Amino acid sequence: MPRTAPRGGPQTRVKIAEAASPLFAERGFDDVTVAEIARAAGVSSVTVFKHFPRKEDLFFDRTIDAEELLRDAVRGRAEGVAAVDALRDALLAIADARAPLSGLAHGSPGFYRTVAESPALQARALEIAASLQAQLAAELAADARFEGDAVLLAAFLLQGYASVMVGTAKRLLAADLQTGPDGFAIATERETETIAADHRARIEALFAAIVEGVPARG
C-alpha cells in the first residue's frame, strides 16, 4: 500500500493504523478509545471513522489485504492452474515470508493475546471470516475457468484455514515469549521456526484434504 498519498488517502489510513498498534499492545483493545488513537495519529475522530468505520477494524487493519490476496489468487492464476492450487500457493507464500497476514510475523503472539482478551474482537473476527468466505465464493462462481462448487470450496478453505490459524495461535501463546521493540510479545526464533514449519505442513494437509478428501475410515 502506498504511503505517499495526499492527506485523507492511503497515507492517512496507514498513519492511523500505526498509531493504534502500540496503544493496543500496551493497554489492550478495550481500554483504548478512538479519540486517543486520533490524537496519537494527529487527526480527528471523524477522520479515523472515515477510514475505519468500526473500532475493531482499526485492529484488523489488514482485512483489505486478505480480500486482495484471495481475489488475486483466483483472477491472476496462470492458464491451466486450478483455483485451489493458486489459493494454496498464495497461502504458502505468505507463510514462507512470515507476512503479517500469515499469523507468523514477529508480533503475532501479542496480536493473538489481544484478540483472546476481547470479546468484541473475537466477534468481529468471525464476521470478517464469514465475509471473506462469501467474497471468495462469489469470486469463484464468477470465474469462467472454475467448474466446481464455489460455495463448498470457499467454506472448506476458509473454515479449514481458520482451524490452522487457531492451532498456530495456541502454540505461539504457549511458547516462551519475549517483548519486541513495538511492545508486542514475540516467540524465540527457534520456537517460531518449529511452529512455522508445522503451520506450513497443516496448510498443505488442508489442501490435500480438499482435493483428495478426508479418509472416512481410520
Side-chain angles (χ1 to χ4, degrees), residues 44-64:
S44 69
S45 294
V46 172
T47 299
V48 172
F49 283 118
K50 175 183 176 182
H51 291 276
F52 301 95
R54 297 171 58 170
K55 179 185 167 187
E56 291 81 5
D57 294 335
L58 269 164
F59 188 82
F60 295 117
D61 64 306
R62 295 186 183 274
T63 300
I64 293 176

Side-chain angles (χ1 to χ4, degrees), residues 2-184:
R3 301 195 178 196
T4 56
R7 185 176 181 82
Q11 182 183 32
T12 301
R13 178 184 173 87
V14 170
K15 182 169 66 172
I16 294 169
E18 289 179 343
S21 292
L23 293 175
F24 291 147
E26 180 182 355
R27 294 162 50 198
F29 176 80
D30 295 333
D31 290 337
V32 177
T33 68
V34 171
E36 290 173 315
I37 294 169
R39 190 159 50 249
V43 300
S44 69
S45 294
V46 172
T47 299
V48 172
F49 283 118
K50 175 183 176 182
H51 291 276
F52 301 95
R54 297 171 58 170
K55 179 185 167 187
E56 291 81 5
D57 294 335
L58 269 164
F59 188 82
F60 295 117
D61 64 306
R62 295 186 183 274
T63 300
I64 293 176
D65 296 341
E67 294 170 352
E68 291 177 349
L69 177 77
L70 298 175
R71 181 176 63 247
D72 292 349
V74 174
R75 295 184 185 181
R77 71 188 192 279
E79 193 65 35
V81 175
V84 67
D85 292 333
L87 289 162
R88 178 200 60 212
D89 292 346
L91 293 178
L92 288 175
I94 62 171
D96 291 341
R98 305 291 194 274
L101 276 181
S102 72
L104 296 170
H106 79 283
S108 292
F111 176 90
Y112 292 134
R113 191 174 301 281
T114 302
V115 174
E117 294 172 349
S118 173
L121 287 177
Q122 293 168 36
R124 183 58 179 148
L126 292 175
E127 292 175 353
I128 291 171
S131 177
L132 289 172
Q133 182 176 317
Q135 289 179 50
L136 177 59
E139 194 67 46
L140 291 168
D143 188 283
R145 293 181 288 167
F146 181 74
E147 299 178 349
D149 189 313
V151 173
L152 278 180
L153 176 56
F156 289 152
L157 196 159
L158 268 297
Q159 295 297 321
Y161 189 64
S163 178
V164 172
M165 292 289 285
V166 168
T168 297
K170 289 180 177 179
R171 291 191 64 185
L172 283 170
L173 290 175
D176 291 331
L177 300 180
Q178 303 171 351
T179 300
D182 57 2
F184 278 113

